[in-house]
Amino acid sequence: MDTAEQIAVPETANQVKTDQPAAPTGRFKVWVEDETDFSLNSISLLGHNFYEHPLLQLDQLEALAHRLLPSKQCRFIAPGAKQSSKFIHHAESPDGRDLSDVFANISEPGSWVALYNAETDPQYAGLVNEAISSVEHLVDREQPGIFSPQAFIFISAPPSVTPFHIDRENNFWLQIHGRKIMNVWDSHDRGIIPTHTVESFVIDGSLHGVILKDEFMDARHEWDLGPGEGVYFPSTSPHSTRTENTWVTPDNGVTVSIGIVFYTKTTRRQAYIHSLNRLLRRFGVSPRFPGESPFDGIKFGLGRLLVGLKKRLRGYKPPTGF
C-alpha cells in the first residue's frame, strides 16, 4: 500500500506474546449461498458467523491494537477522508492522542483505526486459519496452493471512509459490528485500473495511478452490509468503503470489519508475469494481461528469472505474494 511509513511486521507469529482467552475451535465459518456458482475470479456475497467470535469484540481488539502498535501495525487515517482521497495512513493518531484515548472515544464521528497483519498475533493466526479452512475447498478447486493468509481489521465510527484502492490478495471481507457500505469494481475492467497501474502495484506496491473518477461510480457493485454478511472479491479488485450514521444508536455506533486475505499459486504466477510484462512494455511491446496470452507459461518462467536477477544484482525485495 502507498503509506506514509513502511510497516514493520514481525517475521513470525511466535514473536508476539498474548494472554487473551483461547478461541473456540471449529465453530466459526465463512460460507456462500451456492457453492456451484462461486468463482475466485468473480465478486460474491458471503455469510459468516465471525461476528460472534470473542477475539473480534472491541475489548479484545483494543488489546490487540496495543500489542501491534510498537511494530506500526496499528494505523490511523485523518477524519474527513473521501472515497477519492489517497489511501495514506499513519502509525500515530493524526491528533496526537495515545491509543487508549483513541479507543475510549472510538465512537466519535470520523474515528478510524486499522490493525494490519493481525495474524502475527498467535491467537489471531488461529482465527485466520479457521476462516481459511472453512473456504479452502472452494479455493483449492480453482486456485490450489494457498499461502500467506493475513488479516486486516478496520474499526471506525460514521461518517468515515476507507478510500478507493486495490490489494494484491484475494479477499474474504467480513462485516463484524455495525454497518458498512462496500463498493467493489470488476478486477478485469482495465478502464478502471489500467494494466500498467496494476503492474506497478503488484511489483512495487505503488497506488500511484489508482484514482477514483466520477464516471466510475456507475460501474460499482454496492452493498449495505451488517454483521454476518460479507463480500469476496479477487486480487486487484478496486474497492472502497464508507459508513453512514443512519443506523447509529447510543449503544451501537462503531463499525468493525475484517479482511481475510490470501495468495495462491495463481496469484504468484500472475505476479511473475506482470514483472516480465513491465519489462516488455519498456521495450515498446504491449503484452497481454496475465491469463490472456497462450504464452503465459513461458512468460511465467522468464518473469521468475527476471525477479531472481533483480534480487541478486539489485537487492530487489519483492512484496509478499512472489
Side-chain angles (χ1 to χ4, degrees):
M1 292 187 176
D2 187 13
T3 61
E5 303 174 53
Q6 187 174 2
I7 302 171
V9 180
E11 292 183 0
T12 67
N14 291 333
Q15 289 177 281
V16 183
K17 303 298 183 182
T18 180
D19 57 0
Q20 77 256 44
T25 301
R27 172 184 163 192
F28 298 99
K29 302 180 185 301
V30 179
W31 60 84
V32 295
E33 183 174 347
D34 184 355
E35 292 193 354
T36 61
D37 238 7
F38 179 80
S39 170
L40 287 176
N41 293 312
S42 303
I43 302 165
S44 298
L45 287 173
L46 306 171
H48 69 92
N49 61 353
F50 275 87
Y51 64 94
E52 299 176 337
H53 201 295
L55 296 181
L56 294 177
Q57 310 312 308
L58 273 176
D59 59 339
Q60 293 297 320
L61 293 176
E62 180 177 1
L64 174 65
H66 280 280
R67 295 195 296 276
L68 297 182
L69 187 66
S71 56
K72 298 184 179 181
Q73 293 169 248
C74 183
R75 311 297 291 184
F76 306 87
I77 196 170
K82 300 178 180 179
Q83 285 184 295
S84 58
S85 298
K86 290 185 177 180
F87 192 11
I88 300 176
H89 41 88
H90 308 273
E92 296 180 357
S93 176
D95 54 14
R97 290 184 298 169
D98 66 28
L99 188 58
S100 294
D101 191 32
V102 169
F103 270 90
N105 297 280
I106 195 64
S107 60
E108 286 186 355
S111 296
W112 192 99
V113 177
L115 307 180
Y116 274 38
N117 293 103
E119 79 287 345
T120 58
D121 184 281
Q123 291 295 326
Y124 287 83
L127 182 153
V128 172
N129 289 336
E130 190 168 12
I132 290 293
S133 68
S134 68
V135 293
E136 190 169 10
H137 64 292
L138 296 174
V139 176
D140 278 351
R141 73 185 188 188
E142 195 171 344
Q143 292 188 23
I146 294 173
F147 68 97
S148 295
Q150 302 167 10
F152 298 85
I153 302 171
F154 298 90
I155 307 162
S156 60
S160 59
V161 161
T162 299
F164 181 81
H165 66 288
I166 60 177
D167 298 319
R168 290 185 295 272
E169 313 91 346
N170 295 322
N171 194 328
F172 283 93
W173 185 93
L174 313 178
Q175 183 64 15
I176 304 300
H177 301 295
R179 301 197 68 84
K180 185 169 284 185
I181 297 170
M182 167 62 83
N183 289 161
V184 185
W185 286 258
D186 184 355
S187 64
H188 303 96
D189 190 338
R190 300 279 70 85
I192 304 294
I193 307 292
T195 298
H196 66 275
T197 301
V198 176
E199 288 171 5
S200 293
F201 178 71
V202 170
I203 297 166
D204 299 324
S206 172
L207 285 171
H208 181 72
V210 180
I211 300 169
L212 177 61
K213 300 178 181 179
D214 290 342
E215 57 264 34
F216 296 169
M217 297 307 290
D218 287 342
R220 75 191 187 278
H221 301 268
E222 180 171 288
W223 301 274
D224 185 344
L225 302 172
E229 299 174 318
V231 180
Y232 166 79
F233 48 92
S235 168
T236 70
S237 297
H239 59 284
S240 66
T241 69
R242 71 183 190 273
T243 59
E244 298 177 349
N245 57 15
T246 52
W247 55 270
V248 173
T249 62
D251 60 346
N252 184 26
V254 178
T255 178
V256 176
S257 56
I258 181 171
I260 304 291
V261 305
F262 60 96
Y263 301 90
T264 66
K265 290 180 180 178
T266 297
T267 60
R268 173 182 277 149
R269 176 185 176 91
Q270 291 170 346
Y272 284 118
I273 294 172
H274 278 306
S275 296
L276 182 69
N277 279 355
R278 186 164 74 169
L279 178 65
L280 293 174
R281 200 176 305 283
R282 289 172 178 171
F283 285 98
V285 179
S286 297
R288 294 185 185 180
F289 203 81
E292 298 177 356
S293 169
F295 303 108
D296 272 357
I298 297 172
K299 291 167 73 176
F300 165 61
L302 292 175
R304 187 166 56 179
L305 176 62
L306 174 65
V307 171
L309 289 173
K310 287 172 62 178
K311 289 166 64 177
R312 182 176 178 181
L313 302 177
R314 295 171 47 189
Y316 172 60
K317 295 183 179 179
T320 304
F322 279 84

